[in-house]
């Protein structure tokens, strides 16, 4: 029989080691909805304040938004230091007016690095007034952000994150019901 004291010391050392090695943990925050003003390049915004510690290993953004004519929209994400375009007038300049498909808050879209469809192609193959993510339009709701999430990787998750949406042409209206930032964070040492 092994001495109990030796096992207790080994167990305490193992527990101490495990406690110092951080495992990637999910962090999430949801922002409030807002109306998107028509033909206003400044658009409107909503912010999420995250107090969680750690650095970003991966992230995604889910947007529940209703808007006619997705080709009018520019959508950005900012952490106060860097800003990326999630969406930049799909179908424009391929079509002077951009893609004429619609977004529905009942069919949220997700911007993720693991997506296979480019945000620029959102609505491709859809007919006028089709809702992206619903048949007969493309049922894909996962898109690669225009600029990618690379500038945020390795950065602190803590801070104020802002989603901005602008409508850059006349006549079509919409609003964001809500949006969610999801991230896997580590301790900054690659874990």
């Amino acid at each position: 029989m092994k001495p109990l004291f030796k096992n207790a010391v080994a167990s305490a050392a193992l527990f101490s080691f495990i406690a110092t090695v951080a495992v990637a943990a999910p962090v999430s925050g949801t922002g409030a909805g807002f109306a998107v003003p028509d033909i206003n390049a400044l658009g409107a915004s909503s912010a999420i304040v995250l107090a969680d510690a750690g650095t970003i290993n991966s992230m995604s953004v889910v947007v529940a938004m209703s808007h006619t004519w997705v080709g009018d929209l520019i959508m950005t994400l900012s952490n106060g230091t860097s800003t990326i375009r999630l969406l930049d007038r799909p179908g424009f300049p391929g079509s002077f007016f951009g893609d004429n498909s619609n977004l529905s808050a009942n069919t949220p879209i997700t911007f993720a690095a693991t997506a296979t469809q480019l945000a620029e192609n959102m609505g491709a193959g859809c007919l006028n007034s089709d809702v992206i993510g619903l048949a007969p339009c493309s049922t894909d709701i996962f898109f690669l952000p225009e600029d990618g999430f690379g500038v945020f990787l390795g950065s602190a998750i803590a801070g104020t994150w802002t989603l901005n949406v602008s409508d850059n042409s006349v006549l079509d209206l919409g609003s964001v019901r809500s949006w969610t930032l999801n991230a896997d964070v580590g301790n900054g040492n690659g874990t």
Side-chain angles (χ1 to χ4, degrees):
M1 183 170 166
K2 295 182 182 180
L4 183 59
F5 180 74
K6 183 176 179 182
N7 287 341
V9 171
S11 295
L14 179 60
F15 177 76
S16 176
F17 172 75
I18 291 171
T20 61
V21 177
V23 177
V27 171
S28 184
T30 299
F34 55 92
V36 178
D38 192 30
I39 197 162
N40 181 328
L42 295 178
S45 300
S46 171
I48 297 171
V49 178
L50 296 175
D52 301 87
T55 57
I56 301 167
N57 293 330
S58 65
M59 64 188 310
S60 65
V61 175
V62 181
V63 181
M65 176 178 190
S66 293
H67 197 284
T68 53
W69 211 291
V70 70
D72 289 357
L73 302 176
I74 297 174
M75 191 178 299
T76 62
L77 178 68
S78 175
N79 67 353
T81 303
S82 300
T83 301
I84 64 164
R85 294 172 302 150
L86 297 172
L87 182 70
D88 191 349
R89 301 196 68 190
F92 183 86
S95 161
F96 178 73
F97 298 106
D99 189 89
N100 62 2
S101 303
N102 299 326
L103 294 173
S104 170
N106 294 326
T107 309
I109 55 173
T110 299
F111 296 95
T114 56
T116 59
Q117 295 293 321
L118 298 172
E120 169 59 25
N121 296 331
M122 185 181 293
C126 300
L127 301 175
N128 185 25
S129 300
D130 280 352
V131 174
I132 294 167
L134 297 178
C137 190
S138 167
T139 57
D140 199 346
I141 57 169
F142 294 91
F143 298 95
L144 291 165
E146 287 288 327
D147 294 329
F149 291 118
V151 298
F152 299 134
L153 301 183
S155 299
I157 189 66
T160 301
W161 292 85
T162 304
L163 178 76
N164 178 274
V165 182
S166 64
D167 180 317
N168 298 273
S169 192
V170 296
L171 300 178
D172 293 281
L173 301 172
S175 61
V176 173
R177 179 190 298 162
S178 66
W179 68 284
T180 304
L181 182 136
N182 298 302
D184 281 326
V185 299
N187 64 5
N189 297 325
T191 57

